[in-house]
Amino acid sequence: MPPSSLRVVYAFAREMHPKTTDIFIQYGTAGFRTKASLLEHVVYRMGLLAVLRSRCKNGRTIGMMITASHNLEPDNGVKLIDPDGEMLEESWEGIATRLANVSDNDLESTTAQIIKEVNADMALKASVYIGMDTRYTSPRLAAAAVHGVMALKGTAKEFGIVTTPILHFCVKCRNDNTYGTPTEEGYYEKIVGAFKSIRQKLPVCGNYNTTLYVDGANGVGGKKLNIIKKTLDGELDLVLFNLGGNGGKLNLNCGADFVKVSQKPPVGVEHVPYQRVASLDGDGDRIVYYFVDDSNNMQLLDGDRIATLFASYITELLKGCDATHLRLGLVQTAYANGASTKYITENLKIPVTCVKTGVKHLHHAALSYDIGVYFEANGHGTVVYSDVTKSTIAKVAQEGDTEQRKAAQLLLSFIDLTNETVGDAISDLFLVETVLCARGHDVRQWMETYNDLPCRQLKVTVEDRNVFKTTDAERKCTSPELLQERIDALVSSYTCGRAFVRPSGTEDVVRVYAEADAQESAVKLAEEHKGKLLWKMLNIRLFSKNIISEYKFILP
């Protein structure tokens, strides 16, 4: 493409999507995410980048999702999806950040430089799928994305309001037609079809009941479940709350992140003692479960619990298939509760890999196993299966003895029920319900598998999160100097003590995590980090002047 052909890139920017702020914005673990009012020029430019990425992938389809996930409604964001339905390749994150922050006057020349650097063949066709969540700012940003695609003569296909995992699924299917049909209907056909198929093989027994309450976070996931609910043929009775009506605000005092972080049940949900409730986040890629007991205390079943549930059930099915030679592993982050890691390694005898926060890191680590189960404690995760695993289980389903075939057929349906591209609240919901039904368990039996260590989290606003550097999957801090030494000294005086400090991947805050054998000890350990560690940072002027008012506690 000659330089003159790039003039439309500048024209679109100048006339329709000008850069109106000098605020630096960085592509983080979940793409760009900030106040929606700051994003229009960024999303337009990501449309440009999506076209270049498509051409660097031989014209394969790239996805663009307009969402700020679990953030409140005034925020928004955009992230790119690679051809296999995975997060954008990490080496391109810096390119995205660079393109987002150049001036309008430099946009044309910077685009030309990037085309040369990535060796994009501009003669190739380019395809971009675009989806958005329910935020009132999303349609305007989606339009900016379309304009970016058009400016470099790519082809945009808009999916309208969809969950983030549905768009990931459609991108994967568009590039690999063996995975499914690249439409929202194709998603339902595969995921819901697999659930109905597997439930027909599993009689309802024991303490399991088919009623499930769902907190939809006033977002897109609840809306899609409302569509799915009508097709379940009585296999699961969904009672839906927080679907966005009656003045409910997206993620406000509801949703998976609120429940996990605040340790409180969401508003807008009816509660019955020991009735299980699934809480989704705003774009439908996270899920946690909880229940309230007869004293009205909330008990949380988070991503760690879901991961152990899946891993233990898959292990049972592998034994039934006589396929225990397939290597199953579980991937966690530093936020995983220490009790869950101990249970996985000592009771389930399953290897655990710990990686940096961010689902892209978990996903890639999970691919090293024949079957990789990965979850963040916040409820974002899924299971991935190698081609060898799928062919092995399919062969057993055809050639094994009666019991082996039965186990293999269940596992094949479990695989079909899984959205392997990304964490998916709807898919994970059906997977959880499958395992609980198979075992005849209620939430109390699920909760009894192990006891979480009490923990405490807090976050502190900083001027520049990039000053903080970590290693060992973010469990040890290498910068600022001496910070880790202080952490180690504090932790050593607590039974079962563990703590770490890490910069956020999406905003200028430092996150602190502490756990110990008792809640009061965990709280005290976190407080000591605040008082003795974070205050010390004032001496090198890392924190804002009004730091006292900047502390935001996010667990009770």
Side-chain angles (χ1 to χ4, degrees):
M1 177 178 284
S4 60
S5 300
L6 295 180
R7 289 175 185 167
V8 69
V9 168
Y10 171 63
F12 264 109
R14 181 191 63 204
E15 300 297 333
M16 302 182 70
H17 311 293
K19 186 174 184 288
T20 58
T21 176
D22 290 329
I23 295 175
F24 182 81
I25 181 168
Q26 183 173 341
Y27 198 104
T29 55
F32 293 106
R33 190 177 299 176
T34 187
K35 297 301 179 187
S37 58
L38 303 176
L39 276 171
E40 190 169 331
H41 75 282
V42 174
V43 176
Y44 165 69
R45 293 162 185 221
M46 290 308 99
L48 303 174
L49 192 66
V51 171
L52 300 185
R53 183 66 176 162
S54 176
R55 287 179 173 142
C56 285
K57 290 293 184 177
N58 295 317
R60 299 176 80 200
T61 297
I62 299 296
M64 288 184 69
M65 185 66 197
I66 310 299
T67 184
S69 188
H70 56 278
N71 287 34
L72 295 179
E73 200 165 88
D75 291 347
N76 216 319
V78 59
K79 64 178 180 178
L80 271 61
I81 302 167
D82 263 352
D84 289 331
E86 300 178 8
M87 302 289 191
L88 177 67
E89 183 181 307
E90 193 167 1
S91 64
W92 277 62
E93 293 178 6
I95 299 173
T97 299
R98 174 180 160 200
L99 188 62
N101 289 283
V102 297
S103 69
D104 288 336
N105 288 336
D106 292 332
L107 181 59
E108 184 179 336
S109 61
T110 300
T111 302
Q113 290 166 8
I114 293 172
I115 290 170
K116 185 176 181 180
E117 289 170 11
V118 301
N119 196 28
D121 183 351
M122 301 303 286
L124 286 175
K125 293 182 179 180
S127 169
V128 181
Y129 280 4
I130 299 170
M132 62 182 177
D133 68 13
T134 56
R135 295 165 201 271
Y136 64 89
T137 56
S138 290
R140 174 173 55 84
L141 295 179
V146 171
H147 291 158
V149 175
M150 290 171 55
L152 285 181
K153 298 183 179 180
T155 300
K157 180 175 180 178
E158 296 184 79
F159 282 73
I161 294 174
V162 290
T163 67
T164 294
I166 287 177
L167 190 67
H168 279 258
F169 173 89
C170 291
V171 170
K172 168 72 172 177
C173 293
R174 178 65 181 82
N175 296 305
D176 176 8
N177 59 17
T178 66
Y179 194 70
T181 304
T183 63
E184 185 175 335
E185 293 73 21
Y187 171 88
Y188 297 146
E189 180 181 343
K190 181 173 183 178
I191 301 296
V192 181
F195 176 70
K196 291 164 70 173
S197 173
I198 202 170
R199 286 299 279 260
Q200 290 167 6
K201 302 181 181 79
L202 296 173
V204 176
C205 63
N207 295 322
Y208 179 79
N209 72 78
T210 59
T211 300
L212 173 67
Y213 287 12
V214 180
D215 161 29
N218 296 311
V220 61
K223 293 182 182 298
K224 300 307 181 185
L225 278 177
N226 205 22
I227 296 171
I228 291 170
K229 175 182 177 180
K230 302 166 187 175
T231 69
L232 293 177
D233 301 333
E235 298 294 346
L236 186 63
D237 178 20
L238 297 176
V239 183
L240 305 176
F241 300 92
N242 292 332
L243 299 183
N246 301 317
K249 296 291 186 181
L250 180 68
N251 295 320
L252 181 61
N253 298 323
C254 62
D257 193 61
F258 172 82
V259 173
K260 170 64 177 173
V261 167
S262 71
Q263 301 281 292
K264 297 176 182 176
V267 300
V269 177
E270 174 188 336
H271 290 107
V272 177
Y274 301 106
Q275 169 61 52
R276 68 187 183 281
V277 186
S279 189
L280 284 54
D281 73 335
D283 69 330
D285 64 3
R286 293 185 184 186
I287 185 172
V288 297
Y289 274 67
Y290 73 90
F291 64 93
V292 295
D293 60 24
D294 46 19
S295 299
N296 208 35
N297 296 315
M298 192 194 83
Q299 305 294 329
L300 178 66
L301 296 142
D302 62 7
D304 296 338
R305 297 275 181 179
I306 295 172
T308 56
L309 187 75
F310 291 176
S312 61
Y313 183 62
I314 293 169
T315 299
E316 291 175 13
L317 293 179
L318 289 174
K319 290 178 180 176
C321 296
D322 193 25
T324 53
H325 62 283
L326 294 172
R327 188 164 178 258
L328 185 150
L330 202 146
V331 185
Q332 297 182 319
T333 72
Y335 284 105
N337 194 277
S340 74
T341 308
K342 183 177 180 181
Y343 173 75
I344 295 160
T345 55
E346 296 184 5
N347 293 71
L348 299 181
K349 307 297 183 184
I350 293 173
V352 173
T353 300
C354 186
V355 298
K356 293 195 301 183
T357 301
V359 71
K360 63 187 175 187
H361 303 300
L362 288 95
H363 187 93
H364 292 154
L367 293 173
S368 67
Y369 294 102
D370 293 315
I371 302 173
V373 181
Y374 71 85
F375 266 85
E376 294 184 294
N378 61 28
H380 196 168
T382 189
V383 188
V384 292
Y385 303 86
S386 69
D387 290 339
V388 169
T389 295
K390 293 174 183 177
S391 61
T392 299
I393 302 305
K395 184 176 181 180
V396 175
Q398 293 293 325
E399 302 175 2
D401 62 32
T402 301
E403 290 304 310
Q404 289 173 345
R405 289 200 306 270
K406 181 179 178 181
Q409 288 165 2
L410 280 173
L411 185 49
L412 287 176
S413 293
F414 202 79
I415 292 171
D416 281 343
L417 182 52
T418 307
N419 185 347
E420 296 182 65
T421 65
V422 74
D424 182 343
I426 292 175
S427 168
D428 289 340
L429 179 151
F430 287 133
L431 290 169
V432 168
E433 295 302 313
T434 295
V435 180
L436 294 180
C437 180
R439 291 178 169 173
H441 283 183
D442 61 13
V443 284
R444 281 178 283 192
Q445 290 167 294
W446 183 10
M447 179 65 82
E448 287 168 358
T449 51
Y450 63 86
N451 295 318
D452 279 321
L453 287 168
C455 62
R456 170 81 165 184
Q457 295 182 59
L458 60 86
K459 64 181 180 180
V460 181
T461 302
V462 298
E463 290 181 353
D464 181 8
R465 69 180 184 271
N466 295 308
V467 172
F468 290 81
K469 307 295 183 184
T470 62
T471 188
D472 189 22
E474 301 181 307
R475 291 176 290 190
K476 292 191 179 296
C477 195
T478 58
S479 175
E481 189 178 358
L482 302 180
L483 183 54
Q484 186 60 46
E485 184 179 312
R486 298 277 183 169
I487 293 172
D488 293 341
L490 287 171
V491 168
S492 64
S493 62
Y494 289 87
T495 303
C496 300
R498 184 170 73 92
F500 62 87
V501 173
R502 59 169 288 270
S504 167
T506 56
E507 53 187 325
D508 280 324
V509 300
V510 171
R511 303 191 186 279
V512 178
Y513 178 91
E515 66 182 34
D517 63 335
Q519 185 65 51
E520 59 187 30
S521 297
V523 170
K524 185 178 179 183
L525 182 55
E527 294 280 357
E528 287 183 342
H529 275 72
K530 177 191 73 174
K532 294 185 178 181
L533 299 178
L534 301 182
W535 273 105
K536 184 176 178 59
M537 295 303 99
L538 283 169
N539 296 330
I540 51 176
R541 303 181 66 82
L542 291 178
F543 293 90
S544 56
K545 295 179 181 178
N546 297 321
I547 191 168
I548 295 177
S549 65
E550 298 287 350
Y551 283 110
K552 298 176 181 178
F553 294 101
I554 57 174
L555 283 182

